[in-house]
Amino acid sequence: MIRPLDGITVISLEHAVAAPFCTRQLADLGARVIKVERPGSGDFARGYDQRVKGQSSHFTWINRSKESLALDVKQPQAKQALLELLKTADVLVQNLAPGAAARMGLSYEALKDVNPKLIVCDISGYGADGPYRDKKAYDLLIQSEAGFLSVTGTPDTPSKSGISVADIAAGMYAYTNILSALLLRGKTGEGSHIDVSMLEAMGEWMGYPLYYAYDGAPPPPRTGASHASIYPYGPFQAGDGKTVMLGLQNEREWKAFCDTVLQQPAVATDARFCSNAQRNAHREALQALILQTFAALTAAQVVERLEAAGIANARVNEMADLWQHPQLQARQRWRTVGTPVGEVPALLPPGVNSAFDYRMEAVPAVGQHNVSILAELGWSTEQIAAVNA
Protein backbone atom coordinates (compact mmCIF):
# COMPACT_ATOMS: atom_id res chain seq x y z
CA MET A 1 0.00 0.00 0.00
CA ILE A 2 1.47 3.33 -1.09
CA ARG A 3 1.55 6.20 1.41
CA PRO A 4 1.57 9.88 0.37
CA LEU A 5 5.16 10.55 1.50
CA ASP A 6 6.78 7.23 0.64
CA GLY A 7 10.24 7.97 -0.78
CA ILE A 8 10.56 11.35 0.98
CA THR A 9 13.54 11.70 3.34
CA VAL A 10 13.44 14.22 6.17
CA ILE A 11 16.49 15.16 8.23
CA SER A 12 15.56 16.84 11.51
CA LEU A 13 17.71 18.63 14.04
CA GLU A 14 14.93 18.69 16.57
CA HIS A 15 14.15 18.75 20.24
CA ALA A 16 11.23 19.38 22.61
CA VAL A 17 7.82 19.45 20.88
CA ALA A 18 7.35 21.74 17.88
CA ALA A 19 9.72 20.17 15.33
CA PRO A 20 9.27 16.56 16.56
CA PHE A 21 5.48 16.91 16.31
CA CYS A 22 5.85 18.19 12.76
CA THR A 23 8.18 15.40 11.66
CA ARG A 24 6.20 12.63 13.37
CA GLN A 25 3.23 13.60 11.23
CA LEU A 26 5.42 13.44 8.13
CA ALA A 27 6.50 9.97 9.26
CA ASP A 28 2.85 8.99 9.77
CA LEU A 29 2.38 9.63 6.03
CA GLY A 30 5.33 7.45 5.08
CA ALA A 31 8.31 9.82 5.11
CA ARG A 32 11.64 8.52 6.31
CA VAL A 33 12.56 10.78 9.24
CA ILE A 34 16.15 10.75 10.45
CA LYS A 35 16.25 12.43 13.84
CA VAL A 36 19.69 13.88 14.63
CA GLU A 37 20.33 13.78 18.39
CA ARG A 38 23.10 14.52 20.82
CA PRO A 39 25.24 11.43 21.52
CA GLY A 40 24.44 9.96 24.92
CA SER A 41 21.52 12.05 26.17
CA GLY A 42 19.73 12.66 22.87
CA ASP A 43 16.77 15.01 22.57
CA PHE A 44 16.39 16.64 25.99
CA ALA A 45 12.66 15.84 25.87
CA ARG A 46 13.67 12.24 26.56
CA GLY A 47 14.28 13.39 30.13
CA TYR A 48 11.10 15.39 30.77
CA ASP A 49 9.55 12.59 32.86
CA GLN A 50 9.46 8.81 33.21
CA ARG A 51 5.72 8.15 32.94
CA VAL A 52 5.73 5.60 30.09
CA LYS A 53 7.57 2.54 31.41
CA GLY A 54 10.41 4.82 32.43
CA GLN A 55 10.31 6.90 29.25
CA SER A 56 9.15 10.46 28.71
CA SER A 57 5.48 10.99 27.90
CA HIS A 58 6.32 13.82 25.49
CA PHE A 59 8.98 11.82 23.68
CA THR A 60 6.86 8.68 23.34
CA TRP A 61 3.99 10.70 21.88
CA ILE A 62 5.85 12.47 19.05
CA ASN A 63 8.83 10.33 18.06
CA ARG A 64 7.49 7.06 16.71
CA SER A 65 8.41 5.84 13.22
CA LYS A 66 11.74 7.72 13.24
CA GLU A 67 15.38 6.70 12.97
CA SER A 68 17.80 8.12 15.54
CA LEU A 69 21.23 9.26 14.38
CA ALA A 70 23.45 10.42 17.25
CA LEU A 71 25.94 13.00 16.00
CA ASP A 72 28.03 15.67 17.66
CA VAL A 73 27.67 18.03 14.71
CA LYS A 74 30.48 20.22 16.05
CA GLN A 75 32.92 17.43 15.15
CA PRO A 76 34.19 17.43 11.53
CA GLN A 77 33.34 13.79 10.70
CA ALA A 78 29.86 14.08 12.18
CA LYS A 79 29.28 17.33 10.29
CA GLN A 80 30.45 15.61 7.10
CA ALA A 81 27.94 12.79 7.65
CA LEU A 82 25.12 15.30 8.10
CA LEU A 83 26.07 17.22 4.94
CA GLU A 84 26.24 14.00 2.94
CA LEU A 85 22.75 13.10 4.06
CA LEU A 86 21.47 16.55 3.11
CA LYS A 87 22.82 16.21 -0.44
CA THR A 88 20.04 13.75 -1.26
CA ALA A 89 17.42 14.58 1.39
CA ASP A 90 14.09 16.18 0.55
CA VAL A 91 13.49 18.19 3.73
CA LEU A 92 15.53 19.65 6.59
CA VAL A 93 13.62 20.65 9.73
CA GLN A 94 15.27 22.37 12.68
CA ASN A 95 14.23 24.11 15.87
CA LEU A 96 17.64 24.73 17.42
CA ALA A 97 18.43 27.94 19.31
CA PRO A 98 18.06 31.11 17.21
CA GLY A 99 20.86 31.31 14.64
CA ALA A 100 22.47 27.98 15.61
CA ALA A 101 21.71 26.17 12.34
CA ALA A 102 22.99 29.08 10.25
CA ARG A 103 26.23 29.19 12.24
CA MET A 104 26.74 25.50 11.39
CA GLY A 105 26.32 26.22 7.69
CA LEU A 106 22.84 24.72 7.59
CA SER A 107 20.86 27.73 6.39
CA TYR A 108 18.78 27.47 3.25
CA GLU A 109 21.16 29.85 1.49
CA ALA A 110 24.15 27.64 2.33
CA LEU A 111 22.44 24.41 1.30
CA LYS A 112 20.45 25.31 -1.81
CA ASP A 113 23.48 25.15 -4.12
CA VAL A 114 24.41 21.72 -2.73
CA ASN A 115 20.83 20.41 -3.09
CA PRO A 116 18.56 22.74 -5.10
CA LYS A 117 15.55 20.53 -4.36
CA LEU A 118 15.97 20.71 -0.59
CA ILE A 119 13.14 22.21 1.47
CA VAL A 120 14.45 23.84 4.66
CA CYS A 121 11.98 24.51 7.48
CA ASP A 122 13.18 26.64 10.40
CA ILE A 123 10.96 26.74 13.50
CA SER A 124 11.66 29.46 16.05
CA GLY A 125 9.92 31.51 18.68
CA TYR A 126 9.68 34.77 16.79
CA GLY A 127 10.93 34.24 13.24
CA ALA A 128 14.11 34.88 11.28
CA ASP A 129 14.10 38.67 11.58
CA GLY A 130 12.64 41.53 13.60
CA PRO A 131 13.61 42.82 17.05
CA TYR A 132 12.66 39.55 18.80
CA ARG A 133 14.65 37.33 16.40
CA ASP A 134 17.26 36.23 18.94
CA LYS A 135 14.95 36.05 21.94
CA LYS A 136 14.65 32.64 23.60
CA ALA A 137 11.18 31.14 23.44
CA TYR A 138 9.42 28.28 25.18
CA ASP A 139 5.80 27.22 24.93
CA LEU A 140 4.48 28.99 28.04
CA LEU A 141 6.37 32.16 27.17
CA ILE A 142 4.74 32.28 23.75
CA GLN A 143 1.31 31.58 25.27
CA SER A 144 1.92 34.67 27.36
CA GLU A 145 3.36 36.81 24.56
CA ALA A 146 0.47 35.97 22.22
CA GLY A 147 -2.18 36.99 24.76
CA PHE A 148 -3.45 33.45 25.29
CA LEU A 149 -3.16 33.76 29.08
CA SER A 150 -5.19 36.98 29.02
CA VAL A 151 -8.30 35.11 27.84
CA THR A 152 -7.78 31.75 29.57
CA GLY A 153 -8.55 30.99 33.20
CA THR A 154 -10.90 32.57 35.71
CA PRO A 155 -11.63 36.26 36.30
CA ASP A 156 -9.12 36.17 39.17
CA THR A 157 -6.41 33.93 37.73
CA PRO A 158 -5.02 33.59 34.20
CA SER A 159 -4.14 30.02 33.25
CA LYS A 160 -1.88 28.39 30.72
CA SER A 161 -3.13 25.65 28.43
CA GLY A 162 -2.87 22.14 29.82
CA ILE A 163 -1.07 21.10 26.62
CA SER A 164 1.89 22.64 24.77
CA VAL A 165 -0.46 24.63 22.57
CA ALA A 166 2.12 27.08 21.13
CA ASP A 167 4.52 24.26 20.25
CA ILE A 168 1.69 22.25 18.72
CA ALA A 169 0.49 25.24 16.69
CA ALA A 170 3.99 25.83 15.30
CA GLY A 171 4.43 22.12 14.59
CA MET A 172 1.14 22.02 12.69
CA TYR A 173 2.06 25.02 10.52
CA ALA A 174 5.52 23.56 9.85
CA TYR A 175 3.87 20.30 8.80
CA THR A 176 1.35 21.91 6.46
CA ASN A 177 3.94 24.30 5.00
CA ILE A 178 6.23 21.37 4.23
CA LEU A 179 3.40 19.52 2.50
CA SER A 180 2.70 22.67 0.47
CA ALA A 181 6.40 23.04 -0.38
CA LEU A 182 6.55 19.43 -1.60
CA LEU A 183 3.55 20.08 -3.85
CA LEU A 184 5.18 23.27 -5.15
CA ARG A 185 8.46 21.47 -5.79
CA GLY A 186 6.54 18.97 -7.90
CA LYS A 187 5.58 21.89 -10.16
CA THR A 188 8.83 23.90 -10.15
CA GLY A 189 11.48 21.26 -9.43
CA GLU A 190 13.01 23.55 -6.80
CA GLY A 191 13.12 23.53 -3.01
CA SER A 192 12.22 26.45 -0.77
CA HIS A 193 12.74 28.00 2.65
CA ILE A 194 10.01 27.94 5.30
CA ASP A 195 10.23 30.24 8.33
CA VAL A 196 7.70 29.25 11.03
CA SER A 197 7.26 31.45 14.09
CA MET A 198 5.58 30.15 17.26
CA LEU A 199 4.26 33.66 17.96
CA GLU A 200 2.70 33.91 14.50
CA ALA A 201 1.20 30.43 14.79
CA MET A 202 -0.43 31.36 18.10
CA GLY A 203 -1.42 34.74 16.70
CA GLU A 204 -3.46 32.94 14.04
CA TRP A 205 -5.12 30.76 16.65
CA MET A 206 -5.97 33.86 18.70
CA GLY A 207 -8.00 35.26 15.79
CA TYR A 208 -11.41 35.22 17.51
CA PRO A 209 -10.40 37.07 20.72
CA LEU A 210 -8.19 39.36 18.64
CA TYR A 211 -11.12 40.49 16.49
CA TYR A 212 -13.46 40.52 19.48
CA ALA A 213 -11.18 43.25 20.86
CA TYR A 214 -10.99 45.05 17.51
CA ASP A 215 -10.41 48.80 17.46
CA GLY A 216 -9.86 49.08 21.21
CA ALA A 217 -12.94 47.11 22.29
CA PRO A 218 -12.69 45.15 25.57
CA PRO A 219 -11.25 41.64 25.10
CA PRO A 220 -13.23 38.51 25.98
CA PRO A 221 -13.33 38.00 29.77
CA ARG A 222 -11.73 34.95 31.37
CA THR A 223 -14.63 32.63 32.16
CA GLY A 224 -13.02 29.38 33.27
CA ALA A 225 -14.51 26.41 31.41
CA SER A 226 -17.44 28.46 30.07
CA HIS A 227 -17.49 30.11 26.66
CA ALA A 228 -16.54 33.77 26.85
CA SER A 229 -19.29 35.09 24.58
CA ILE A 230 -21.95 32.36 24.16
CA TYR A 231 -24.25 31.39 27.03
CA PRO A 232 -25.20 28.90 28.28
CA TYR A 233 -22.09 27.09 27.03
CA GLY A 234 -19.98 25.41 29.68
CA PRO A 235 -20.09 23.20 32.79
CA PHE A 236 -23.14 22.90 35.07
CA GLN A 237 -23.37 20.76 38.18
CA ALA A 238 -26.25 18.32 38.68
CA GLY A 239 -27.84 17.29 41.97
CA ASP A 240 -25.56 14.24 42.37
CA GLY A 241 -22.45 16.42 42.33
CA LYS A 242 -21.40 15.42 38.81
CA THR A 243 -20.81 18.01 36.11
CA VAL A 244 -22.38 18.14 32.66
CA MET A 245 -20.89 20.23 29.84
CA LEU A 246 -23.47 21.67 27.47
CA GLY A 247 -23.58 24.21 24.68
CA LEU A 248 -26.23 26.20 22.83
CA GLN A 249 -25.50 27.82 19.48
CA ASN A 250 -28.76 29.42 18.31
CA GLU A 251 -32.26 30.54 19.25
CA ARG A 252 -33.89 27.31 18.10
CA GLU A 253 -31.74 25.39 20.57
CA TRP A 254 -32.47 27.94 23.29
CA LYS A 255 -36.22 27.37 22.92
CA ALA A 256 -35.74 23.57 22.97
CA PHE A 257 -33.57 23.94 26.08
CA CYS A 258 -36.26 25.88 27.91
CA ASP A 259 -39.08 23.57 26.76
CA THR A 260 -37.46 20.17 27.29
CA VAL A 261 -34.49 20.58 29.63
CA LEU A 262 -35.63 23.32 32.02
CA GLN A 263 -39.29 22.45 31.36
CA GLN A 264 -40.04 26.16 31.72
CA PRO A 265 -41.17 27.42 28.26
CA ALA A 266 -41.75 30.96 29.51
CA VAL A 267 -38.05 31.44 30.19
CA ALA A 268 -37.39 31.39 26.42
CA THR A 269 -39.13 34.76 25.99
CA ASP A 270 -37.89 36.37 29.21
CA ALA A 271 -36.46 39.75 28.16
CA ARG A 272 -33.25 39.00 30.05
CA PHE A 273 -32.61 35.84 28.04
CA CYS A 274 -34.28 36.35 24.64
CA SER A 275 -31.01 36.59 22.67
CA ASN A 276 -27.48 35.39 23.16
CA ALA A 277 -26.33 38.94 23.87
CA GLN A 278 -28.93 39.24 26.64
CA ARG A 279 -28.14 35.79 28.07
CA ASN A 280 -24.47 36.70 28.09
CA ALA A 281 -25.20 39.97 29.86
CA HIS A 282 -27.33 38.20 32.51
CA ARG A 283 -25.17 35.14 33.04
CA GLU A 284 -25.49 35.05 36.82
CA ALA A 285 -29.29 35.09 36.82
CA LEU A 286 -29.51 32.44 34.11
CA GLN A 287 -26.89 30.26 35.78
CA ALA A 288 -28.87 30.33 39.04
CA LEU A 289 -32.03 29.32 37.21
CA ILE A 290 -30.31 26.42 35.39
CA LEU A 291 -28.58 25.15 38.54
CA GLN A 292 -31.87 25.28 40.45
CA THR A 293 -33.43 22.96 37.87
CA PHE A 294 -30.42 20.66 37.67
CA ALA A 295 -30.23 20.35 41.47
CA ALA A 296 -33.26 18.05 41.40
CA LEU A 297 -31.70 15.79 38.74
CA THR A 298 -28.76 13.43 38.45
CA ALA A 299 -26.19 14.10 35.74
CA ALA A 300 -27.57 11.13 33.81
CA GLN A 301 -31.06 12.64 33.93
CA VAL A 302 -29.74 16.00 32.75
CA VAL A 303 -28.01 14.31 29.81
CA GLU A 304 -31.20 12.42 29.00
CA ARG A 305 -33.15 15.70 28.76
CA LEU A 306 -30.37 17.35 26.74
CA GLU A 307 -30.34 14.47 24.27
CA ALA A 308 -34.12 14.60 23.96
CA ALA A 309 -33.91 18.32 23.18
CA GLY A 310 -31.06 17.88 20.68
CA ILE A 311 -28.68 19.97 22.79
CA ALA A 312 -24.94 19.26 22.45
CA ASN A 313 -23.42 17.90 25.63
CA ALA A 314 -20.38 16.03 26.90
CA ARG A 315 -18.93 14.36 29.94
CA VAL A 316 -16.17 16.18 31.81
CA ASN A 317 -13.63 13.40 31.34
CA GLU A 318 -10.24 12.82 32.86
CA MET A 319 -7.27 11.11 31.21
CA ALA A 320 -8.34 7.69 32.49
CA ASP A 321 -11.70 8.17 30.75
CA LEU A 322 -10.01 9.07 27.45
CA TRP A 323 -7.89 5.90 27.56
CA GLN A 324 -11.14 3.92 27.77
CA HIS A 325 -13.35 6.15 25.60
CA PRO A 326 -15.99 3.96 23.92
CA GLN A 327 -16.01 6.01 20.72
CA LEU A 328 -12.27 5.62 20.20
CA GLN A 329 -12.58 1.90 20.84
CA ALA A 330 -15.58 1.50 18.55
CA ARG A 331 -13.69 3.23 15.72
CA GLN A 332 -10.60 1.08 16.40
CA ARG A 333 -8.35 4.12 16.85
CA TRP A 334 -5.76 2.39 19.06
CA ARG A 335 -2.62 0.61 17.85
CA THR A 336 0.57 -0.46 19.59
CA VAL A 337 4.06 0.80 18.78
CA GLY A 338 7.42 -0.46 19.91
CA THR A 339 9.75 1.46 22.20
CA PRO A 340 13.16 0.65 23.70
CA VAL A 341 11.32 -0.81 26.72
CA GLY A 342 8.48 -2.63 24.98
CA GLU A 343 5.20 -1.93 23.25
CA VAL A 344 2.86 0.90 24.27
CA PRO A 345 -0.58 1.92 22.95
CA ALA A 346 -0.79 4.83 20.51
CA LEU A 347 -3.67 6.65 18.87
CA LEU A 348 -3.81 6.64 15.11
CA PRO A 349 -3.45 10.11 13.56
CA PRO A 350 -6.75 11.97 13.05
CA GLY A 351 -8.35 11.40 9.68
CA VAL A 352 -9.36 8.02 8.28
CA ASN A 353 -8.14 7.67 4.69
CA SER A 354 -9.52 4.89 2.52
CA ALA A 355 -6.41 4.78 0.32
CA PHE A 356 -3.66 4.03 2.85
CA ASP A 357 -2.84 3.12 6.44
CA TYR A 358 -0.73 5.36 8.62
CA ARG A 359 2.77 4.30 9.51
CA MET A 360 2.92 3.29 13.17
CA GLU A 361 6.46 2.10 13.89
CA ALA A 362 8.78 2.13 16.87
CA VAL A 363 10.10 4.98 19.01
CA PRO A 364 13.91 4.80 18.65
CA ALA A 365 16.66 4.64 21.24
CA VAL A 366 19.38 7.32 21.04
CA GLY A 367 21.69 6.51 18.12
CA GLN A 368 19.89 3.26 17.35
CA HIS A 369 20.33 3.71 13.59
CA ASN A 370 23.86 5.13 13.44
CA VAL A 371 25.40 2.06 11.83
CA SER A 372 22.66 1.48 9.24
CA ILE A 373 22.42 5.14 8.18
CA LEU A 374 26.16 5.74 7.91
CA ALA A 375 26.65 2.44 6.09
CA GLU A 376 24.17 3.69 3.47
CA LEU A 377 26.57 6.56 2.84
CA GLY A 378 29.29 4.03 2.04
CA TRP A 379 31.22 4.65 5.23
CA SER A 380 33.60 1.96 6.45
CA THR A 381 33.35 0.21 9.77
CA GLU A 382 36.31 2.27 10.98
CA GLN A 383 34.71 5.56 9.93
CA ILE A 384 31.45 4.67 11.62
CA ALA A 385 33.28 3.66 14.79
CA ALA A 386 35.12 7.00 14.81
CA VAL A 387 31.85 8.94 14.65
CA ASN A 388 30.31 6.78 17.36
CA ALA A 389 33.32 7.14 19.66
Side-chain angles (χ1 to χ4, degrees):
M1 184 175 289
I2 298 173
R3 296 186 178 99
L5 297 185
D6 283 351
I8 297 295
T9 297
V10 179
I11 311 298
S12 190
L13 282 73
E14 61 181 30
H15 55 229
V17 174
F21 185 50
C22 163
T23 59
R24 195 219 73 191
Q25 294 181 93
L26 297 171
D28 292 340
L29 297 181
R32 182 188 188 188
V33 176
I34 298 175
K35 180 184 180 78
V36 179
E37 301 190 73
R38 299 175 184 83
S41 60
D43 180 345
F44 57 72
R46 288 181 180 270
Y48 278 172
D49 57 58
Q50 297 179 319
R51 306 292 292 197
V52 186
K53 297 184 176 180
Q55 301 174 120
S56 160
S57 55
H58 283 77
F59 194 87
T60 302
W61 162 45
I62 50 178
N63 286 286
R64 65 171 181 253
S65 305
K66 300 181 184 180
E67 299 171 50
S68 174
L69 176 62
L71 293 177
D72 180 357
V73 292
K74 295 180 181 178
Q75 301 302 320
Q77 284 182 300
K79 177 73 172 295
Q80 179 188 345
L82 179 57
L83 290 174
E84 286 188 31
L85 287 169
L86 289 170
K87 286 179 183 178
T88 57
D90 297 283
V91 181
L92 169 64
V93 180
Q94 69 85 18
N95 68 331
L96 304 178
R103 289 192 294 272
M104 290 190 290
L106 301 176
S107 67
Y108 173 70
E109 288 71 21
L111 294 170
K112 66 180 179 180
D113 292 333
V114 177
N115 182 355
K117 293 186 176 182
L118 184 66
I119 295 163
V120 176
C121 180
D122 299 326
I123 305 173
S124 63
Y126 296 98
D129 51 17
Y132 281 43
R133 179 191 64 185
D134 298 322
K135 191 176 177 67
K136 279 191 173 182
Y138 300 122
D139 178 83
L140 178 55
L141 305 181
I142 297 296
Q143 289 189 40
S144 179
E145 196 75 40
F148 182 88
L149 270 65
S150 75
V151 298
T152 307
T154 68
D156 298 324
T157 308
S159 298
K160 72 177 186 66
S161 167
I163 58 174
S164 303
V165 66
D167 280 326
I168 293 169
M172 287 300 300
Y173 284 111
Y175 168 58
T176 55
N177 270 273
I178 290 168
L179 295 179
S180 298
L182 287 168
L183 288 171
L184 183 62
R185 190 182 70 175
K187 298 177 179 180
T188 67
E190 297 179 354
S192 54
H193 179 222
I194 301 166
D195 172 14
V196 175
S197 154
M198 292 170 66
L199 177 65
E200 290 160 17
M202 276 303 292
E204 169 66 20
W205 285 15
M206 294 298 294
Y208 141 64
L210 193 62
Y211 278 111
Y212 191 91
Y214 178 70
D215 201 21
R222 293 193 299 268
T223 53
S226 296
H227 196 284
S229 58
I230 302 174
Y231 200 81
Y233 191 162
F236 294 88
Q237 191 175 71
D240 58 0
K242 296 180 180 179
T243 299
V244 176
M245 185 73 71
L246 64 91
L248 278 69
Q249 291 283 337
N250 53 57
E251 297 311 305
R252 177 186 57 77
E253 291 184 347
W254 167 241
K255 183 178 186 304
F257 181 77
C258 294
D259 290 349
T260 305
V261 181
L262 298 182
Q263 297 184 353
Q264 299 179 55
V267 173
T269 55
D270 188 310
R272 296 171 299 169
F273 312 135
C274 61
S275 70
N276 180 67
Q278 288 296 98
R279 293 192 290 274
N280 202 37
H282 297 93
R283 279 180 178 239
E284 291 185 7
L286 182 51
Q287 180 187 47
L289 191 155
I290 293 171
L291 291 177
Q292 183 180 25
T293 300
F294 285 9
L297 305 170
T298 65
Q301 289 171 323
V302 171
V303 168
E304 185 178 355
R305 288 191 184 186
L306 290 167
E307 289 290 331
I311 303 299
N313 64 87
R315 295 184 297 168
V316 182
N317 281 336
E318 298 182 356
M319 291 301 95
D321 302 309
L322 186 59
W323 277 111
Q324 303 297 328
H325 202 290
Q327 184 68 3
L328 297 176
Q329 293 183 9
R331 284 173 55 81
Q332 300 179 342
R333 301 307 295 166
W334 291 102
R335 297 292 184 273
T336 57
V337 298
T339 78
V341 294
E343 290 190 337
V344 299
L347 275 172
L348 283 164
V352 179
N353 193 301
S354 64
F356 70 92
D357 292 329
Y358 291 103
R359 187 173 166 210
M360 300 286 287
E361 297 179 10
V363 177
V366 178
Q368 179 178 336
H369 301 91
N370 272 39
V371 172
S372 60
I373 293 170
L374 296 176
E376 287 179 33
L377 296 176
W379 285 35
S380 68
T381 303
E382 292 75 19
Q383 288 175 302
I384 294 172
V387 169
N388 289 341

